[in-house]
Amino acid sequence: MTPRLSACLLVLPLLLVAPVSAQETASAPTAATALPAQLADFDAYVESARKRFDVPGIAVAIVKDGHVVLEKGWGVRKMGTNEPVTAHTQFAIASNTKAFTSMAISMLADDGKLSLDDRVIDHLPWFRMSDPYITHEMRVRDLLAHRSGLSLGAGDLLYWPGTTYTGREVAERLKNVPINGSFRGQYAYDNILFGVAQLVVEQASGQSFQSFLDTRILGPLGMKETRYNSDFLKPGDEFATGHAALDFKDVRPLAAPMTWSNVAGAGGIYSSVHDMARWMDVQLAGGIISGSGDDAKRLVSDKRHDAQWQVVTPIPVSKPSVPQLEPLKPNFAGYGEGWFLSDYRGHKLVWHTGGWPGMVSKVTMIPDLGVGVVVLTNAEMGGAFNSITYRVLDAYTGASKTDWVAAYGAALDKSRGDADEGWKKHLAQREAASKPSLPLAKYAGTYRDPWYGDVVVERDAKGLRLRFTRTPELVGRLEHWQHDSFIVRWDQRWLNADAFVDFDLDHDGVIQGVRMQPVSPLTDFSFDFQDLRLAPVATP
């Protein structure tokens, strides 16, 4: 939940929203009456992004200086239906949830219930990392800043794509997740520590995380269309269905909404662009809930709001994958407390993306211009939300029009081409005539990883099958690759996460361990198979 960005990266004309009813809430940004002239063709532009990136439905909201300039949907909530996406359609916002978790921590700091300099073990005495020094020195702020020493997406298989572990069990298993970097030494995006931050919120507040969000954030902001996670979608809710490209090719709807009730603080929330406009408005207002006179209230202090938008962890700036994206290269990049920070055309950006099985999204703000844009989509194509976001940012920064759809389309084509070339190299190196060293039945058994748990290889009439015991979706057929290496082809083809499975044999031909590695570079990083250290479990 992290950002699932490895693949890229209605009837009326442009609809302006009506004034918000006074009965709704004082927190709602008021309506404006005009878009920049540069967005006069915005309908056609969004439709071009939908077509280029094969996205069934997109919703967008734009706020400016406390006004909702636009909130609208395009396309459908599910392929094969006529149910339109509107401003009120609920999507999984995934890692955009992290800013809500950060806000909860800041509010508790304002309440005097914690300090961001507190040790995590001050609030969760049982908390352990695999390094005792990091365990002792990990502060609450470190949970929000991706600088723990964990590798990219470490531990994500504990809840991705959905497991039977509880939130407490996920956090407790951190004690065995390997540390591959130095503590506070570099940036590496993780999700699991935001699950720990959720537990800190619960301990410090005395409330469930759901209750805290509902009573302290969503309720005061009037975010009536926002749900804690997909388990809390209600009958009559206008929620979108996620879509994925099976085997990276044919886009199809997913069978059912995914849920991460065990790490909701990292990416659980469902929301609409209508509600997310309220969220951006309070952010751009410095934590003040919009109102007039004595009705104005503050969600969070100036001090804590500003701290969330200050760089805690610098992020190296990389070269764009294609020349067309060169104008987007920032001068600086970093991560604050639940927010990415960078610059664009001389303006500071505060932003985040979200990636979920079948849905990706982006929230972006230009604080000094009072501008915010949110793009929610029901397919796994970052090129769509990026190309739409930058068209809006260009309109408000006075930049000339750029066809970002074409630019991100070129990046998508390159990433797919690179993946195809990588597969050709694998094929060229393969000794296809080789045979497994052992009879297939010898590979069957239970293999245990210290942090994930058990993975089972079973022999049946057709060969071998592999099953992750705590992850119902991770079941597939083992196909022989070469020597003692196989490829697991998952039954659920929308996962796009087939992996090499390499058995390590000793000099006597006894299996000592199993390692895994995603086959395609397009596979989402949350399939952190490479961190598994599977060893055979002795049978009694």
Side-chain angles (χ1 to χ4, degrees):
M1 102 236 39
T2 149
R4 277 177 75 90
L5 309 180
S6 50
C8 150
L9 331 169
L10 286 146
V11 190
L12 301 173
L14 206 57
L15 180 66
L16 299 176
V17 298
V20 177
S21 163
Q23 283 74 32
E24 283 194 76
T25 174
S27 68
T30 58
T33 56
L35 280 169
Q38 192 168 318
L39 297 180
D41 62 348
F42 196 56
D43 272 320
Y45 185 80
V46 173
E47 287 294 351
S48 72
R50 276 210 318 119
K51 182 178 180 180
R52 177 65 176 88
F53 299 107
D54 205 5
V55 180
I58 294 176
V60 180
I62 303 170
V63 298
K64 166 67 172 165
D65 296 332
H67 299 280
V68 176
V69 179
L70 169 77
E71 54 176 32
K72 187 181 176 182
W74 293 261
V76 294
R77 304 201 299 266
K78 181 179 181 180
M79 287 179 65
T81 75
N82 294 318
E83 299 173 334
V85 171
T86 74
H88 304 284
T89 301
Q90 295 145 315
F91 295 77
I93 68 168
S95 286
N96 282 298
T97 301
K98 289 180 170 66
F100 288 82
T101 303
S102 175
M103 179 63 78
I105 292 287
S106 281
M107 294 169 72
L108 288 168
D110 284 340
D111 293 345
K113 299 290 183 64
L114 59 76
S115 165
L116 275 82
D117 293 319
D118 289 348
R119 290 182 171 88
V120 175
I121 56 175
D122 293 339
H123 297 275
L124 306 175
W126 50 266
F127 172 78
R128 295 292 183 274
M129 298 286 284
S130 62
D131 182 294
Y133 174 78
I134 299 176
T135 297
H136 184 264
E137 289 302 317
M138 179 79 75
R139 310 294 168 139
V140 173
R141 181 177 289 103
D142 294 315
L143 300 176
L144 309 175
H146 306 302
R147 60 177 187 172
S148 65
L150 292 170
S151 60
L152 174 66
D156 281 4
L157 282 171
L158 290 168
Y159 47 81
W160 176 288
T163 71
T164 57
Y165 287 117
T166 67
R168 172 70 180 258
E169 286 174 330
V170 168
E172 287 177 335
R173 285 182 169 268
L174 260 170
K175 68 180 181 292
N176 291 316
V177 176
I179 301 293
N180 293 317
S182 60
F183 183 47
R184 299 182 188 146
Q186 65 283 306
Y187 165 83
Y189 191 92
D190 76 79
N191 292 297
I192 196 167
L193 291 178
F194 274 83
V196 176
Q198 168 187 341
L199 298 176
V200 171
V201 170
E202 293 181 335
Q203 186 279 332
S205 68
Q207 297 177 261
S208 69
F209 190 55
Q210 177 204 354
S211 174
F212 188 94
L213 290 180
D214 285 345
T215 60
R216 298 290 303 275
I217 298 177
L218 304 181
L221 295 186
M223 297 177 67
K224 299 177 182 179
E225 296 168 0
T226 301
R227 305 288 177 257
Y228 177 61
N229 61 42
S230 63
D231 295 331
F232 291 83
L233 291 170
K234 302 174 182 178
D237 276 351
E238 186 183 310
F239 62 88
T241 295
H243 297 76
L246 277 63
D247 293 312
F248 299 107
K249 295 175 182 176
D250 301 320
V251 174
R252 293 290 183 270
L254 302 185
M258 297 293 295
T259 181
W260 284 315
S261 56
N262 47 9
V263 286
I269 290 177
Y270 266 65
S271 192
S272 64
V273 296
H274 175 75
D275 272 14
M276 291 301 288
R278 298 167 187 249
W279 175 241
M280 292 189 298
D281 182 61
V282 76
Q283 293 287 341
L284 290 165
I288 296 174
I289 301 173
S290 60
S292 58
D294 294 336
D295 293 331
K297 297 179 181 179
R298 181 171 284 282
L299 191 67
V300 68
S301 67
D302 270 333
K303 178 183 178 181
R304 281 277 81 237
H305 177 269
D306 291 348
Q308 293 176 64
W309 288 6
Q310 298 298 316
V311 171
V312 177
T313 308
I315 300 175
V317 175
S318 58
K319 183 179 177 61
S321 61
V322 293
Q324 295 93 321
L325 296 179
E326 190 67 34
L328 303 183
K329 183 179 178 181
N331 294 296
F332 81 93
Y335 201 89
E337 296 170 4
W339 289 102
F340 285 102
L341 306 162
S342 60
D343 66 309
Y344 182 60
R345 301 192 187 278
H347 300 275
K348 178 181 178 179
L349 296 185
V350 179
W351 58 279
H352 215 288
T353 54
W356 183 271
M359 301 192 203
V360 294
S361 56
K362 189 169 188 175
V363 174
T364 310
M365 294 173 288
I366 311 177
D368 66 316
L369 297 181
V371 170
V373 55
V374 55
V375 185
L376 306 180
T377 78
N378 61 355
E380 298 177 3
M381 281 291 167
F385 68 56
N386 276 321
S387 57
I388 292 168
T389 295
Y390 281 106
R391 173 55 67 99
V392 174
L393 299 188
D394 285 347
Y396 283 98
T397 57
S400 58
K401 276 188 179 181
T402 298
D403 188 354
W404 295 118
V405 172
Y408 277 101
L412 175 62
D413 291 343
K414 184 179 186 302
S415 67
R416 287 174 169 170
D418 290 347
D420 289 343
E421 286 300 312
W423 177 243
K424 290 176 183 177
K425 290 179 181 178
H426 285 310
L427 289 173
Q429 296 294 320
R430 181 189 186 193
E431 293 185 30
S434 66
K435 303 294 183 183
S437 300
L438 305 174
L440 290 185
K442 292 285 188 179
Y443 295 94
T446 298
Y447 299 86
R448 183 166 297 156
D449 174 78
W451 60 266
Y452 174 81
D454 290 353
V455 173
V456 175
V457 176
E458 298 165 322
R459 179 79 162 93
D460 65 15
K462 295 182 180 180
L464 296 173
R465 286 179 64 76
L466 185 147
R467 174 171 55 87
F468 277 61
T469 59
R470 304 301 292 264
T471 311
E473 302 285 357
L474 287 181
V475 179
R477 175 71 56 189
L478 281 177
E479 171 187 291
H480 183 247
W481 176 247
Q482 64 178 346
H483 306 297
D484 295 305
S485 293
F486 297 75
I487 291 178
V488 59
R489 304 288 187 188
W490 305 112
D491 295 347
Q492 300 293 341
R493 302 311 301 154
W494 61 267
L495 293 172
N496 294 319
D498 290 350
F500 290 112
V501 180
D502 303 321
F503 290 85
D504 177 31
L505 277 60
D506 68 10
H507 52 276
D508 292 322
V510 177
I511 297 172
Q512 300 298 301
V514 181
R515 296 296 303 274
M516 295 181 66
Q517 184 80 27
V519 170
S520 173
L522 300 179
T523 293
D524 192 279
F525 67 72
S526 285
F527 291 101
D528 54 327
F529 300 125
Q530 69 281 350
D531 288 336
L532 297 171
R533 301 293 185 270
L534 294 161
V537 177
T539 55

